[in-house]
Amino acid sequence: AQTVTQSQPEMSVQEAETVTLSCTYDTSESDYYLFWYKQPPSRQMILVIRQEAYKQQNATENRFSVNFQKAAKSFSLKISDSQLGDAAMYFCAYSRIIQGAQKLVFGQGTRLTINP
Amino acid sequence: DVKVTQSSRYLVKRTGEKVFLECVQDMDHENMFWYRQDPGLGLRLIYFSYDVKMKEKGDIPEGYSVSREKKERFSLILESASTNQTSMYLCASSLFGPLIDQPQHFGDGTRLSIL
């Protein structure tokens, strides 16, 4: 069974600094997607970024980028120029297909605090 | 924008009660999901549905059932609520298809307390 591990329950960073959240996963499949979701205090989960396993190039979305190391099964999220609005729980997730539906397996989450 | 609406933001029920959590999406998505979120455990899939009247067990289905009579609505049922079902419940929906990059869209969650 696939598992996703986020080893940092909490992280903090100074506003405008850069922070990296780590994620590792375990799978025997070769084709899959990886996601980072953000859950602010308002509770709605928001997709931050996604990575296709067969693509070598790391995904980027504005201030958010990933470091995808397929052989090491590592998928870290880098947030540059941290802003107060980045404060949230961040979840790493692995995706596979069951009955045509994308099934997500989530990590435990990392609570990110931004210090002004 | 996709809108996934959960009927209650907070809910308090008593042990042994039958509890219904309702979820409605407005984007004609085929797939709908129910997750449970607990501190230190992340989100765990309870059930999902890929079509009307179709359902599949997730990773933690025990003590729960679901109903999908209409495409836009997916209900989670706690047949006899117990205190260990106190949790945050999240509903999500997504498009059907072979592309596994279809992102799931989430509701705001229902924080359920069983007394």
Side-chain angles (χ1 to χ4, degrees):
Chain A
Q2 290 81 9
T3 58
V4 178
T5 302
Q6 294 177 249
S7 58
Q8 306 153 316
E10 295 183 352
M11 293 280 286
S12 64
V13 64
Q14 291 295 128
E15 193 176 3
E17 298 284 302
T18 295
V19 64
T20 299
L21 308 184
S22 65
C23 172
T24 59
Y25 60 95
D26 186 26
T27 183
S28 57
E29 297 175 353
S30 59
D31 190 18
Y32 49 88
Y33 274 74
L34 296 163
F35 301 83
W36 278 97
Y37 277 89
K38 167 185 176 180
Q39 186 181 42
S42 64
R43 297 191 340 208
Q44 185 171 37
M45 296 278 279
I46 302 165
L47 177 65
V48 175
I49 198 166
R50 55 188 160 185
Q51 174 77 42
E52 302 157 86
Y54 63 87
K55 284 192 175 178
Q56 299 263 351
Q57 188 174 6
N58 289 324
T60 62
E61 287 286 343
N62 302 312
R63 296 182 295 107
F64 298 87
S65 61
V66 299
N67 183 4
F68 174 49
Q69 303 287 330
K70 190 172 184 180
K73 296 180 182 174
S74 170
F75 182 60
S76 60
L77 174 69
K78 185 171 84 171
I79 306 173
S80 304
D81 185 24
S82 299
Q83 299 175 2
L84 294 177
D86 295 333
M89 281 290 288
Y90 285 81
F91 292 96
C92 177
Y94 167 99
S95 172
R96 64 189 179 100
I97 290 292
I98 297 178
Q99 293 279 11
Q102 176 208 92
K103 180 182 174 183
L104 290 175
V105 178
F106 285 87
Q108 302 90 335
T110 297
R111 183 174 301 281
L112 178 64
T113 302
I114 312 296
N115 301 313
Chain B
D1 275 357
V2 176
K3 184 70 174 173
V4 179
T5 303
Q6 294 185 229
S7 54
S8 304
R9 196 161 172 84
Y10 299 93
L11 203 55
V12 180
K13 296 291 182 181
R14 296 203 174 275
T15 303
E17 279 193 72
K18 190 169 185 176
V19 180
F20 292 85
L21 301 183
E22 306 287 346
C23 176
V24 176
Q25 50 93 5
D26 66 356
M27 283 301 291
D28 205 35
H29 283 173
E30 291 83 3
N31 300 324
M32 296 189 74
F33 308 82
W34 275 108
Y35 294 91
R36 170 177 172 157
Q37 181 180 358
D38 298 290
L41 297 177
L43 281 73
R44 293 176 291 167
L45 182 64
I46 304 172
Y47 268 97
F48 70 97
S49 169
Y50 53 91
D51 201 353
V52 175
K53 297 191 185 295
M54 305 304 289
K55 61 184 179 183
E56 289 285 338
K57 291 180 180 179
D59 298 316
I60 52 164
E62 296 79 17
Y64 303 94
S65 62
V66 290
S67 172
R68 193 162 180 206
E69 297 297 319
K70 293 185 177 181
K71 190 175 185 180
E72 67 271 18
R73 185 179 297 270
F74 192 35
S75 303
L76 179 69
I77 305 159
L78 286 66
E79 295 288 345
S80 178
S82 63
T83 54
N84 63 12
Q85 292 178 309
T86 291
S87 187
M88 171 82 84
Y89 291 87
L90 290 167
C91 176
S93 72
S94 73
L95 284 168
F96 177 90
L99 298 175
I100 63 173
D101 72 334
Q102 297 291 354
Q104 292 185 16
H105 300 267
F106 287 82
D108 289 344
T110 296
R111 190 171 294 282
L112 175 64
S113 297
I114 307 296
L115 304 179

